[in-house]
């Protein structure tokens, strides 16, 4: 099983782990005895992690100070990988990828085509859920990087991921053993004679010219069942050209949508009551008043030429009324004050990722009449009112 | 034939009506399915076709030409041959079916994609002529349509094809030619939806089931969930076929169905071992919607376990269970009188259930926690979270932001939960017509919010000295920015 697909209990040597330093700072690490992981919060020896359960927090005393630095060691998931991976291209983020997977009914029953692979962000999510993922990338360096990464992540070990070096717009999707592909790895010479049977029913196109790839799909998609597709394009002009190609090549149920994902941080805002604000001002005014009267008395004394014009300043009165901690740094949530729970949207939001154009196609809208007639014949004595056979039996009666 | 890809007897399927609304049907052999005003058909006629196939219903002699390029003139040729004796008033007559290219063929005005060249108006529209603008169109409401509703009803009674009715309505429409081609298309689309007799048979997907609830106006029962939030929950919770998940589902089983579909893809003979332990607040779980699923009862029993919150939080004690009952050896069982066997097996079942509950409530380490509950989350979720394995995701869905906000504050102060975040996702659909792409004018609001975090194991209480205070927790760098400046 891969570093992603197996639910691991303990952190072990050789594991790919994600070290969580902060939300925007998650680092992939291969756990190696004797190594250390360095951050500005301190150096964490891998040996401190080995043998601990996944999710463990690791502490280290920071150099030169008496404080502690903390990290968490997590097992990778496609979603954590997406927020931590090294970008080689634009990537698909979870709000888009999760919607696409849901809408395309991605499941262990799905055979998925993805082009291009890019940074492999979406590939990891597909690999988790799909029966088989066929990923294509025409940029040689990116192909090699992705292949290496999938290898290191153990994705090929689960047997449901293939990556192929290919320009799908010019050369289509068919995979033969003379191609640069991982499909035939571990297959016998005999098996390698046949081109790969793809039969995709889920298509995801994230490349600049999907309209050039669409005509090449017919021979690699399921021939007698429905295939669903999503094209992911940032520009509306691309959508228009895609719609033209979809129409021309017999794709239907066309709909374009846009996904807006947002994240909120939970924060606290100090509750500052009007009464307190008024009281504070009264307090200020009173203080001023005391000063004014003192000065007035002094002035009167000077005028009346009395002796001893000088009046002692009164002792600084009781501490000022300061209900909101003005003038000092108050930590959000400080228990000396009262707080309201609020949510704050990220300071920078992804306001546009891409347009998602969905479509579907059934190559042969026909049924196997012979088979269907034999099934109908078999059920000819069933009356619509008769009680149903147990759900268990029904499988046998239909799985011919 | 694959029951996951082809229309199969005894399966529940979704039928998409011309109005785009969904209907759930169970496909019993030799039965008829009525779609109300849209007609009726025989189940035997659709068996074996791929899911997604669109069928048109035809009646008697009024068979509409099914070839997509046959225009309204083709229908006109059949005019007059369609009226046939009085119909059974109570039963919708069953029609014959033909497979059509797509819903667009039947409903070509729905988008510009039906036309051959960009901007080519619908065939019906080419025949009647139109205006470049609608400046001469005076809105005098329904009086502009010269066919009375009785006359239209009569045409319907005569089982005239929908295209014919619409052609007649266009003829009778006083100012139809004064409308622009766009508004003519809109008119056609509306009318076609009203009179067309076609339907599409869809696989019972979790999104489809949700859409069915929405169409029925029942989505509040599903906590106002949206398709995009449903997908987001499954991904954030890292749902896979080999995991054991703890789940609270107040959506009547929709959430559990979505998990099952993601885990097993409808395959009853899946070899995957994944499990969902559903904790419910009433004496009995409410997973009603699973009745529409096509999983066998056996499959569901194997992969969906249910336990009440009381049994979960106050599980039976192993010793007491073992004291109350001891399974017999095979020998003993053989010699047991047959009239006592029933009672014995009932006790044995109770015994096994008790041991299972103990396992789920006190030993199992879950691979994820997925909650859609209206119980007070800040007290509920941390208790459920106790049994979640380190590093595994927790996702709580709520219709309201305030409730997940309160939860995320509580979890933020609990070192066992890493970086609780509130997540929202919204899908904005577009009118998808070339040259006229724009976001649709109105859409469903709602869709709820999610709280997402990971279970973690704080530095041991034994190393109390190391224990960070919440503010200095791993979010270290972030905590810094959280200090509120007050001048
Ligand atoms: C935006 S990236 C894909 C990102 C990917 N979906 C992810 O989530 O990481 C697009 C990729 O498609 C590749 N590409 C573009 N045209 C292609 C073609 N005709 N055939 C194969 N790959 C292509 C590019 O090299 C690039 O790596």
């Amino acid at each position: 099983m891969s570093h992603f697909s197996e639910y691991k209990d303990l952190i072990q040597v050789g594991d790919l782990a994600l070290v969580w330093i902060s939300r925007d700072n998650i680092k992939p690490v291969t756990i190696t005895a004797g190594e250390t992981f360095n951050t500005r919060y301190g150096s964490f020896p891998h040996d401190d992690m080995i043998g601990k359960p996944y999710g463990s927090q690791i502490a280290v005393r920071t150099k030169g100070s008496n404080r502690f630095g903390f990290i968490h060691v997590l097992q990778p998931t496609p979603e954590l990988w997406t927020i931590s991976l090294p970008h080689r291209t634009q990537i698909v983020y979870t709000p888009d990828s999760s919607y696409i997977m849901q809408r395309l009914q991605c499941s262990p029953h799905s055979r998925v085509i993805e082009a291009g692979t890019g940074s492999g962000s979406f590939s990891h999510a597909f690999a988790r859920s799909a029966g088989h993922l066929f990923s294509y990338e025409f940029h040689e360096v990116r192909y090699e990087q992705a292949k290496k990464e999938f290898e290191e992540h153990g994705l090929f070990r689960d047997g449901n991921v293939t990556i192929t070096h290919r320009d799908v717009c010019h050369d289509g999707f068919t995979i033969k053993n003379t191609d640069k592909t991982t499909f035939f790895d571990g297959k016998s010479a005999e098996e390698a004679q046949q081109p790969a049977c793809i039969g995709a029913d889920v298509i995801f196109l994230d490349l600049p010219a999907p309209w050039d790839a669409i005509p090449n799909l017919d021979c690699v998609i399921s021939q007698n069942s429905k295939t669903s597709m999503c094209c992911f394009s940032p520009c509306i002009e691309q959508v228009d050209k895609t719609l033209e190609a979809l129409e021309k090549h017999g794709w239907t149920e066309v709909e374009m949508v846009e996904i807006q994902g947002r994240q909120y941080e939970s924060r606290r805002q100090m509750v500052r009551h009007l009464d307190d604000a008024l009281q504070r001002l009264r307090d200020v005014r009173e203080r001023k008043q005391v000063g004014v009267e003192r000065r007035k008395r002094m002035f009167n004394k000077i005028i009346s030429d009395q002796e001893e014009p000088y009046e002692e300043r009164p002792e600084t009165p009781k501490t000022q009324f300061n209900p909101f901690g003005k003038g000092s740094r108050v930590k959000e949530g400080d228990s000396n004050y009262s707080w309201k729970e609020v949510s704050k949207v990220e300071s920078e939001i992804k306001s546009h990722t891409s347009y998602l154009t969905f479509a579907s196609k059934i190559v042969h809208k026909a049924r196997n009449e012979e088979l269907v007639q034999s099934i109908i014949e078999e059920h000819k004595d069933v009356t619509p009112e008769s009680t149903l056979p147990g759900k268990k039996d029904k499988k046998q009666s239909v799985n011919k | 034939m694959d029951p996951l890809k082809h229309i199969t007897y005894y399966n529940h399927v979704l039928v998409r009506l011309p109005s785009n609304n969904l209907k759930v049907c169970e496909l019993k052999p030799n039965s008829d399915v009525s779609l109300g005003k849209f007609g009726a058909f025989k189940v035997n006629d659709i068996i074996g076709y791929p899911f997604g196939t669109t069928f048109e219903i035809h009646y008697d002699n009024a068979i509409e030409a099914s070839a997509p390029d046959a225009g309204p003139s083709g229908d006109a040729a059949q005019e007059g041959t369609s009226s046939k004796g009085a119909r059974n008033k109570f039963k919708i007559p069953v029609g014959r079916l033909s497979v059509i290219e797509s819903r667009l063929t039947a409903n070509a005005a729905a988008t510009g994609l039906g036309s051959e060249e960009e901007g080519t108006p619908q065939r019906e529209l080419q025949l009647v002529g139109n205006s470049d603008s609608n400046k001469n169109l005076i809105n005098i409401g329904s009086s502009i349509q010269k066919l009375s509703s009785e006359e239209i009803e009569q045409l319907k009674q005569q089982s005239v094809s929908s295209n014919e009715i619409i052609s007649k309505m266009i003829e009778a429409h006083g100012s139809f030619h004064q409308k622009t081609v766009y508004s003519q298309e809109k008119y056609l689309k509306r009318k076609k939806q009203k009179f067309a007799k076609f339907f599409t048979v869809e696989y019972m997907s979790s999104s489809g089931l949700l859409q069915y609830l929405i169409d029925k106006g029942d989505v509040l029962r599903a906590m106002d969930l949206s398709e995009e939030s449903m997908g987001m929950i499954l991904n954030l919770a890292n749902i896979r076929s080999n995991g054991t998940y703890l789940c609270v589902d107040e959506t009547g089983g929709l959430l559990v169905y979505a998990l099952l579909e993601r885990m097993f893809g409808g395959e009853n003979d899946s070899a995957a071992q994944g499990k969902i332990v559903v904790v419910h607040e009433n004496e009995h779980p409410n997973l009603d919607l699973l009745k529409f699923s096509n999983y066998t009862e056996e499959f569901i029993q194997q992969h969906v376990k249910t336990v009440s919150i009381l049994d979960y939080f106050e599980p039976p004690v192993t010793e007491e269970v073992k004291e109350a009952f001891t399974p017999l050896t095979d020998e003993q069982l053989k010699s047991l009188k047959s009239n006592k066997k029933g009672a014995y097996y009932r006790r044995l079942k109770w015994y096994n259930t008790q041991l299972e509950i103990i396992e789920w409530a006190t030993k199992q380490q879950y691979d994820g926690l997925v909650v859609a509950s209206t119980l007070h989350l800040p007290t509920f979720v941390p208790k459920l979270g106790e049994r979640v394995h380190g590093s595994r995701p927790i996702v709580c869905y709520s219709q309201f932001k305030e409730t997940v906000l309160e939860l995320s504050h509580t979890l933020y102060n609990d070192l066992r939960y890493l970086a609780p975040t509130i997540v929202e996702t919204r899908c904005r659909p577009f009118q998808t017509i070339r040259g006229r792409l724009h976001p649709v004018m109105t859409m469903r609001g709602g869709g709820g919010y999610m709280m997402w975090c990971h279970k973690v194991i704080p530095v041991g209480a034994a190393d109390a000295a190391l224990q960070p205070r919440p503010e200095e927790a791993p979010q270290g760098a972030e905590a810094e920015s959280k200090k509120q400046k007050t001048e």
Side-chain angles (χ1 to χ4, degrees), chain A residues 7 23 258 264 327 367 382, chain B residues 30 47 245 421 424 428 487:
Chain A
Y7 281 114
R23 208 183 294 259
E258 209 183 350
Y264 300 86
R367 60 180 183 180
V382 181
Chain B
N30 309 319
I47 292 298
Y245 306 106
T421 306
E424 175 196 323
R428 185 179 215 200
E487 27 84 65

Side-chain angles (χ1 to χ4, degrees), chain B residues 117-381:
Chain B
E117 271 172 58
E118 204 194 333
T120 308
Q122 300 303 312
R123 284 179 303 272
E124 293 91 324
L125 304 182
Q126 287 172 343
L127 295 176
V128 297
N130 44 60
S131 165
D132 285 342
S133 77
N134 54 12
K135 65 172 186 279
N136 294 323
L137 180 64
I138 302 159
N139 194 348
I140 46 172
S142 61
S143 64
I144 228 169
Q145 175 53 259
K146 293 184 189 115
L147 283 185
S148 69
S149 52
E150 291 79 46
E151 283 170 310
I152 294 172
E153 266 318 301
Q154 215 178 338
L155 285 174
K156 275 169 44 183
Q157 284 295 313
Q158 291 167 0
S159 266
V160 174
S161 83
S162 58
N163 277 351
E164 258 175 82
I165 301 181
I166 293 162
S167 303
K168 283 196 159 61
M169 289 178 71
I170 290 177
E171 272 169 41
H173 192 296
S175 59
F176 193 78
H177 60 281
Q178 286 173 354
K179 292 181 176 226
T180 63
V181 87
Y182 292 158
S183 56
Q184 285 180 356
E185 285 194 0
K186 273 196 182 145
Y187 178 83
L188 263 187
K189 182 188 170 188
R190 274 206 314 274
K191 295 307 167 198
K192 285 200 168 186
Q193 280 185 349
K194 222 167 143 190
F195 302 110
K197 293 186 169 65
F198 66 91
F199 63 94
T200 310
V201 182
E202 306 272 11
Y203 174 77
M204 179 62 75
S205 63
S206 52
S207 294
L209 185 56
L210 169 62
Q211 191 56 47
Y212 162 76
L213 295 178
I214 294 172
D215 291 348
K216 267 199 348 169
D218 231 5
V219 70
L220 277 187
R221 179 169 143 203
M223 297 177 75
D224 205 23
L225 195 64
S226 64
E227 181 178 21
E228 53 273 28
S229 290
M230 192 147 94
M232 191 86 162
I233 292 169
L234 298 176
N235 274 34
L236 291 181
N238 190 29
I239 300 299
R240 38 191 343 137
S241 52
N242 59 340
T244 302
Y245 306 106
L246 187 61
C247 178
V248 185
D249 180 359
E250 278 184 34
T251 67
L254 180 66
L255 183 61
V256 168
Y257 186 59
L259 261 71
L260 285 174
E261 283 294 279
R262 182 58 68 85
M263 292 165 79
F264 308 109
E267 257 167 298
N268 274 304
D269 34 21
S270 168
Q273 291 300 309
K275 245 201 237 46
I276 309 170
V277 174
V278 180
V279 181
H280 54 88
E281 108 184 63
N282 296 316
E283 205 183 335
H284 298 288
N286 173 9
L287 301 176
D288 246 23
L289 290 169
L290 290 186
K291 69 173 182 253
F292 293 140
S293 89
N294 296 308
Y295 292 105
T296 62
E297 253 153 54
E298 192 191 26
F299 182 91
I300 290 180
Q301 267 167 27
Q302 191 186 335
H303 295 280
V304 181
K305 311 286 184 180
T306 62
V307 52
S308 78
I309 43 174
L310 186 60
D311 281 341
Y312 183 85
F313 289 122
E314 296 172 17
V317 181
T318 314
E319 289 70 38
E320 286 169 15
V321 173
K322 292 210 157 144
E323 219 165 88
F325 182 85
T326 318
L328 300 178
T329 62
D330 285 352
E331 292 288 287
Q332 290 171 311
L333 197 56
K334 259 179 222 154
S335 54
L336 192 70
K337 286 209 188 75
S338 54
N339 60 354
K340 287 198 170 160
K341 280 202 170 148
Y344 171 78
Y345 281 117
R346 267 197 304 283
R347 293 293 292 162
L348 181 65
K349 191 174 168 216
W350 170 86
Y351 173 81
N352 285 329
T353 309
Q354 298 303 302
L355 293 189
E356 272 188 324
I357 292 174
I358 294 170
E359 168 76 25
W360 302 329
T362 66
K363 302 200 180 81
Q364 181 70 49
Q365 293 256 302
Y366 292 95
D367 297 317
L369 169 62
V370 184
V371 177
S373 169
T374 53
L375 283 177
H376 183 239
L377 300 176
T379 42
F380 193 27
V381 174

